[in-house]
Amino acid sequence: MYNSIPPISGDQLIALLKLDGWASGRKTRHGISLTKYLEAEKRTLVTFVPSDNKPLPTGTLHDILGMKQTRVGSSGLIDLLNKFGIP
């Protein structure tokens, strides 16, 4: 499962999530918060992505893609990469 995702940097993930409808939030020295409103659930998802040009550690990437943060999942990230390419 972990091997199916190509290495991706925080900056690339931020760009992909923005293309997927996520809005930029507060910026810090180490990253940026992103938000997305889910109309069907009447709730806003919030995640924090480290802003860096280095590939994200596998565990960090999977946490960000998980149900508690973005709900994108591994297959969703692959879909975004196929749709938009690597920014």
Side-chain angles (χ1 to χ4, degrees):
M1 179 175 158
Y2 282 4
N3 295 333
S4 62
I5 298 176
I8 187 168
S9 73
D11 290 339
Q12 291 169 328
L13 182 58
I14 290 167
L16 279 173
L17 290 175
K18 284 181 179 180
L19 290 169
D20 189 42
W22 289 76
S24 298
R26 189 173 68 98
K27 295 179 183 180
T28 68
R29 224 174 63 163
H30 300 290
I32 188 169
S33 68
L34 299 166
T35 60
K36 185 172 187 178
Y37 183 70
L38 302 177
E39 183 67 38
E41 298 179 28
K42 304 281 189 232
R43 68 180 289 177
T44 300
L45 295 177
V46 178
T47 190
F48 181 84
V49 180
S51 180
D52 197 352
N53 286 326
K54 298 177 189 171
L56 290 170
T58 304
T60 301
L61 179 58
H62 282 276
D63 286 347
I64 293 168
L65 298 176
M67 289 300 294
K68 290 184 178 181
Q69 294 187 41
T70 63
R71 299 183 182 182
V72 171
S74 300
S75 61
L77 178 61
I78 299 297
D79 291 342
L80 288 175
L81 288 169
N82 289 334
K83 184 175 180 180
F84 300 115
I86 294 180

